[in-house]
C-alpha cells in the first residue's frame, strides 16, 4: 500500500509563493501521494514554534516517513526556529538569496512582505480591470471596447470568463469577451462593434469531448452539451478565426494561468500589475 507523504507550505505571508514553487516541484513525482497543508502568516517566534509543534506532531503520527516542508519565510529568527523541525526542510529563501547576495555584492534586506507588496496605483488598476471584465462578460455590454486590451471570442463554456477575470486580477489587463452563438457561427459574421476592434480579438477553442463534459455539468443530456453540437460549433469557430485572421488558442490541457500568459505574449500586452 502506497504511503501518503505530508507536505507543509510555510510562509510569513499568504503562502501562495511557497505553494506555487513547492507544487511545481511535486508535479514531477506522479507516483507519490501527498497530503498538503499551508501554514501562512508565520511572522513571529511564537507562530514559528506553533508551526514546528504541529509539523512534529504530524511526523510522529505518520511513522518513519518525514514530511516535506517548503518555506518562504525571510525573517532570520523565524527561519532558524523553523529549520529545527523534524522534517525534510526546503528553504527557498536560503537556496536563492545567498547566491544573489554573492552575485550582487550586497546583502538582502531580509524584510517580510516585500515579495507581495503592492502600491495603491497597481491595486486600483487591478480592481478597475476586474470590474471591466465583469461589465463586459459574455457580451453584456459592447461599450468601451476602446479601453480593452483584448476581446476573447469562443463558443459557450470555452473558458472566456475565468481568463478575463484572471487577466484583470493578476495583470491589470482590461479583458472583454463575447460568446460565439450558433447564429453568429452559421452566418460566419461578427457584430460591427467587434470588427471595429479586430486587432484586439483573440479566439479560444477546446477539444469537443472536453467541451461536452463541461457543458454536461450545466445541462446534461441536452443538444447543447452533445459531442456532435460541440464539434459543430468548434469547427465553425475555427473556420471563422482562420478566415478573419484572428489568433486562437486550444485550451484543452491548459490552466487559466497558462492561457493568460500565452495571450499576453501573442497579443503583445504588458502586465500592469508589477
Amino acid at each position: 500500500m502506497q504511503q501518503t507523504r505530508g507536505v507543509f507550505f510555510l510562509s510569513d505571508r499568504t503562502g501562495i509563493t511557497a505553494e506555487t514553487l513547492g507544487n511545481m516541484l511535486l508535479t514531477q513525482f506522479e507516483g507519490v501521494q501527498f497530503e498538503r497543508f499551508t501554514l501562512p502568516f508565520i511572522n513571529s517566534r511564537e507562530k514559528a514554534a506553533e508551526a514546528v509543534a504541529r509539523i512534529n506532531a504530524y511526523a510522529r503520527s505518520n511513522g518513519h516517513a518525514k514530511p516535506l516542508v517548503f518555506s518562504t519565510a525571510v525573517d532570520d529568527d523565524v527561519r532558524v526556529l523553523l529549520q529545527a523541525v523534524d522534517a525534510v526542510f526546503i528553504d527557498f529563501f536560503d537556496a536563492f538569496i545567498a547566491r544573489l547576495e554573492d552575485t550582487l555584492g550586497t546583502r538582502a534586506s531580509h524584510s517580510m512582505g516585500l515579495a507581495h507588496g503592492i502600491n495603491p496605483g497597481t491595486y486600483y488598476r487591478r480592481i478597475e480591470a476586474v470590474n471591466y471584465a465583469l461589465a463586459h462578460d459574455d457580451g453584456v455590454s459592447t461599450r468601451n471596447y476602446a479601453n480593452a486590451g483584448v476581446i476573447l471570442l469562443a463558443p459557450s463554456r470555452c473558458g472566456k470568463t475565468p481568463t478575463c477575470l484572471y487577466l484583470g486580477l493578476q495583470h491589470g489587463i482590461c479583458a472583454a469577451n463575447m460568446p460565439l452563438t450558433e447564429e453568429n457561427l452559421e452566418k460566419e459574421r461578427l457584430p460591427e462593434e467587434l470588427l471595429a476592434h479586430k486587432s484586439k480579438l483573440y479566439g479560444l477553442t477546446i477539444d469537443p469531448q472536453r467541451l461536452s463534459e463541461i457543458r454536461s455539468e450545466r445541462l446534461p443530456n441536452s443538444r447543447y452539451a452533445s459531442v456532435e453540437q460541440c464539434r459543430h460549433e468548434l469547427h465553425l469557430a475555427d473556420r471563422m478565426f482562420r478566415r478573419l485572421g484572428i489568433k486562437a488558442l486550444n485550451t484543452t490541457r491548459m490552466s487559466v494561468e497558462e492561457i493568460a500568459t500565452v495571450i499576453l505574449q501573442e497579443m503583445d500586452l504588458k502586465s500592469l500589475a508589477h
Side-chain angles (χ1 to χ4, degrees):
M1 181 177 177
Q2 188 181 50
Q3 188 173 18
T4 299
R5 195 71 176 263
V7 180
F8 289 81
F9 303 104
L10 312 184
S11 175
D12 49 33
R13 298 291 285 182
T14 63
I16 292 174
T17 302
E19 289 177 347
T20 301
L21 294 173
N23 281 318
M24 179 180 66
L25 297 175
L26 295 180
T27 57
Q28 302 300 310
F29 302 92
E30 298 179 0
V32 183
Q33 291 285 104
F34 297 109
E35 185 177 16
R36 295 170 169 84
F37 306 91
T38 300
L39 306 184
F41 302 111
I42 304 173
N43 50 19
S44 68
R45 293 175 62 86
E46 292 74 21
K47 290 181 179 179
E50 291 174 5
V52 169
R54 177 174 173 180
I55 297 170
N56 286 346
Y58 179 91
R60 289 193 298 271
S61 67
N62 283 270
H64 65 278
K66 290 188 175 184
L68 305 177
V69 174
F70 295 99
S71 173
T72 56
V74 301
D75 182 81
D76 288 336
D77 290 339
V78 168
R79 290 170 56 235
V80 168
L81 288 173
L82 293 177
Q83 289 169 355
V85 71
D86 184 22
V88 178
F89 191 84
I90 300 170
D91 188 335
F92 286 122
F93 189 85
D94 187 56
F96 301 116
I97 288 295
R99 186 174 180 183
L100 284 171
E101 287 178 334
D102 289 341
T103 299
L104 299 175
T106 185
R107 179 171 166 77
S109 67
H110 292 232
S111 299
M112 290 185 289
L114 294 182
H116 298 282
I118 183 170
N119 64 58
T122 297
Y123 174 79
Y124 288 116
R125 183 67 183 87
R126 287 182 177 184
I127 297 302
E128 289 173 1
V130 169
N131 286 335
Y132 183 93
L134 292 172
H136 296 80
D137 183 43
D138 266 352
V140 170
S141 173
T142 58
R143 296 182 301 172
N144 300 320
Y145 275 169
N147 295 331
V150 64
I151 304 170
L152 300 185
L153 303 176
S156 173
R157 309 301 285 180
C158 284
K160 301 183 301 300
T161 297
T163 302
C164 285
L165 289 172
Y166 184 85
L167 283 167
L169 182 61
Q170 186 65 26
H171 297 288
I173 298 294
C174 289
N177 75 76
M178 173 71 75
L180 295 177
T181 65
E182 190 171 8
E183 181 181 0
N184 294 139
L185 294 169
E186 293 286 357
K187 292 181 179 179
E188 293 192 23
R189 184 184 307 163
L190 291 175
E192 289 301 320
E193 55 266 36
L194 285 175
L195 292 176
H197 299 279
K198 185 180 174 184
S199 63
K200 298 180 179 182
L201 302 183
Y202 193 92
L204 300 181
T205 65
I206 195 172
D207 178 76
Q209 182 63 48
R210 179 58 184 146
L211 181 58
S212 174
E213 293 170 0
I214 295 171
R215 288 183 173 185
S216 292
E217 295 176 2
R218 189 177 190 181
L219 290 173
N221 303 314
S222 63
R223 174 177 176 271
Y224 165 78
S226 69
V227 175
E228 293 76 14
Q229 179 65 19
C230 293
R231 183 177 293 113
H232 176 63
E233 290 183 31
L234 290 166
H235 170 71
L236 293 177
D238 185 60
R239 189 166 70 182
M240 176 186 287
F241 294 150
R242 290 199 307 271
R243 184 174 66 83
L244 296 176
I246 297 172
K247 294 178 181 178
L249 176 67
N250 188 309
T251 66
T252 305
R253 295 177 178 83
M254 300 181 72
S255 66
V256 67
E257 295 90 345
E258 292 171 320
I259 297 169
T261 299
V262 172
I263 291 172
L264 288 173
Q265 290 181 325
E266 295 200 348
M267 299 298 285
D268 196 24
L269 295 171
K270 180 177 174 57
S271 176
L272 303 178
H274 306 294

